[in-house]
Amino acid sequence: MRLSVLAAFAFAEHVAATALTTAIAANERLCFYADVDKAGEKLGFYFAVQSGGSFDIDFEVRDPNEKVLLDGQRERQGDYVLTANTPGEYAFCFENDMSTLTEKLVDFDIMVESEPRREPPARTAQISEQTTALEESIFRLNGMLLNIKRTQKYFHTRENRGFDIVKSTMNQLFWYASLEVMGIVGMAVLQVYVLQTFFTKTGRRYKV
């Protein structure tokens, strides 16, 4: 399946990104694509399995020349940043081959940044010449927001996984209780049948 995932931000930021949640059926391979306009752009890739099986998935990242840049098997989540050295279309693929019945629900982000990330300048005596106090505040706020976003993703993943485990446990308890009830009813019917056959045995009649 081929899906294009580009969502443009403000031109001043030169960033394209997407955040999606997708269901991947058993034995299914699903790929998403992002375009890189020039060499040197930054690619960010984050994913986390929210539900299904053991919360694991196979993944792969390929460049426009079909070269594998990242891959992993039975991974629960990942957070990667890499530099795109070749302009073109990059593929981000998930594969659920290890599961024959279970569907997996995956949250993921793909980010393309047109400029190298700007790092805050070192705190030296010349800091006032390099940046303003407002820019320093923006850098700090940006870092804090990124940390908050990562923390929210972490708790969101934990919540979904916990809910999936509880749901699975409830289903198991339901079927276990149902089998237990059917077993008790079957034993009661069997006992009644045995008692009836024991007291209603017929023998030969003899005339005196």
Side-chain angles (χ1 to χ4, degrees), residues 18-31:
T18 188
L20 294 175
T21 300
T22 184
I24 304 175
N27 297 316
E28 183 181 16
R29 178 182 174 88
L30 193 61
C31 292

Side-chain angles (χ1 to χ4, degrees), residues 174-187:
F174 171 78
W175 289 113
Y176 176 79
S178 299
L179 290 174
E180 188 176 24
V181 169
M182 287 188 291
I184 293 173
V185 172
M187 288 295 296

Side-chain angles (χ1 to χ4, degrees), residues 39-54:
E41 293 184 349
K42 298 293 183 181
L43 288 174
F45 179 48
Y46 166 85
F47 72 91
V49 182
Q50 302 295 326
S51 65
S54 300

Side-chain angles (χ1 to χ4, degrees), residues 93-202:
C93 298
F94 298 103
E95 196 164 3
N96 193 18
D97 273 348
M98 83 286 291
S99 178
T100 56
L101 298 174
T102 307
E103 180 182 78
K104 304 290 177 68
L105 189 67
V106 181
D107 275 356
F108 68 95
D109 290 346
I110 297 174
M111 182 272 295
V112 180
E113 188 175 23
S114 298
E115 295 178 346
R117 293 185 178 181
R118 185 178 179 185
E119 299 294 338
R123 294 183 175 275
T124 62
Q126 293 80 18
I127 189 172
S128 59
E129 300 176 3
Q130 298 175 357
T131 184
T132 65
L134 179 59
E135 287 176 329
E136 283 188 86
S137 299
I138 291 174
F139 282 129
R140 285 197 298 268
L141 287 173
N142 182 61
M144 293 169 64
L145 288 173
L146 288 176
N147 288 334
I148 292 173
K149 184 179 179 182
R150 291 176 185 275
T151 303
Q152 287 179 329
K153 287 181 179 178
Y154 171 77
F155 284 113
H156 178 66
T157 300
R158 288 287 300 271
E159 180 183 5
N160 285 343
R161 290 178 179 175
F163 177 77
D164 189 74
I165 292 173
V166 170
K167 185 178 178 181
S168 176
T169 303
M170 289 179 62
N171 288 335
Q172 291 176 3
L173 290 174
F174 171 78
W175 289 113
Y176 176 79
S178 299
L179 290 174
E180 188 176 24
V181 169
M182 287 188 291
I184 293 173
V185 172
M187 288 295 296
V189 172
L190 181 62
Q191 289 176 350
V192 171
Y193 174 77
V194 170
L195 289 174
Q196 285 181 339
T197 56
F198 181 77
F199 288 107
T200 59
K201 284 185 177 180
T202 57

